[in-house]
Amino acid sequence: MKQFSNILLAGARSLRLNLLVTATTRPQAHRDKMKLTMAERLYIADDNDAFRTYVRRVAEGVDWEVTECPNGFDLMQALSDADSADLIMLDITMPEMDGIETVLKLRENETRSPICFVTGGPSVHAMTARLIAEADDFDIVGVLTKPISVDELLSVLDRVRRDIAVARGATDQASDSGDREIT
């Protein structure tokens, strides 16, 4: 009987993930509204495969490029091979290198990408990580507790995308003013 219950539980979890992923499909108008000329880059470090898949599908649905890493060590390796990250989504509790250790490594490597912490555990761990990161002047764009809704995830992605657009606009204005001739 216990084995049958485990099979039902596994099936229910699979169905729940499929429903969550199906729910991530947004109307074309929403995707068009959020689209910029360059795709933003999201790096997610989380040891939960299903959660990484969920985040990837939601983010790709609004035109983000996503790199998945099962722990902080793999995240650091992926970032060393990349030009930049527009957002790092970082789980607090992971094997090999947890979220707090990863923040310390990001500081050592002078990586200053915005960070969104996620946790399925006690929020005190996430708040500790946030305080450490803020002390080093990291841009913390959120601390989310699993399970994370599509709307919560899209809110973080929207905020980062708006911040990038503002930064690009300021850069464009600065370069435009440098091209003017003084007569």
Side-chain angles (χ1 to χ4, degrees):
M1 185 69 173
K2 185 176 180 181
Q3 188 176 24
F4 181 71
S5 296
N6 288 341
I7 290 170
L8 286 176
L9 183 59
R13 285 183 183 144
S14 177
L15 177 60
R16 182 170 180 257
L17 177 62
N18 288 338
L19 291 173
L20 286 172
V21 170
T22 302
T24 64
T25 306
R26 289 288 194 206
Q28 185 66 38
H30 181 76
R31 289 195 304 272
D32 290 345
K33 175 181 156 191
M34 296 196 38
K35 193 170 186 175
L36 294 175
T37 56
M38 295 173 48
E40 289 79 9
R41 295 182 196 154
L42 167 64
Y43 286 76
I44 177 168
D46 195 299
D47 58 323
N48 183 317
D49 293 339
F51 181 74
R52 285 195 321 267
T53 299
Y54 167 68
V55 171
R56 179 180 47 80
R57 289 188 177 173
V58 171
E60 286 177 348
V62 290
D63 300 316
W64 281 72
E65 291 179 16
V66 180
T67 301
E68 296 180 44
C69 305
N71 57 58
F73 180 79
D74 288 357
L75 172 70
M76 296 307 299
Q77 182 62 46
L79 289 170
S80 72
D81 296 338
D83 293 334
S84 66
D86 294 308
L87 175 61
I88 297 171
M89 187 165 285
L90 188 58
D91 189 16
I92 301 301
T93 308
M94 298 180 287
E96 294 187 42
M97 184 187 298
D98 67 22
I100 294 173
E101 291 172 303
T102 303
V103 167
L104 298 174
K105 286 291 186 185
L106 290 168
R107 178 183 64 192
E108 282 178 25
N109 293 349
E110 298 181 9
T111 301
R112 293 293 172 193
S113 300
I115 298 173
C116 178
F117 290 109
V118 295
T119 185
S123 61
V124 68
H125 295 171
M127 297 318 285
T128 301
R130 181 183 190 134
L131 290 172
I132 291 169
E134 286 177 341
D136 285 318
D137 292 326
F138 280 95
D139 180 14
I140 307 304
V141 296
V143 176
L144 303 175
T145 303
K146 298 175 187 173
I148 298 170
S149 72
V150 172
D151 289 335
E152 287 176 302
L153 182 53
L154 287 174
S155 176
V156 169
L157 297 174
D158 287 348
R159 175 183 170 198
V160 172
R161 185 168 268 162
R162 281 190 309 272
D163 291 349
I164 291 168
V166 168
R168 285 181 185 157
T171 303
D172 291 345
Q173 288 176 355
S175 64
D176 288 346
S177 66
D179 293 340
R180 294 185 194 146
E181 283 187 38
I182 299 174
T183 56

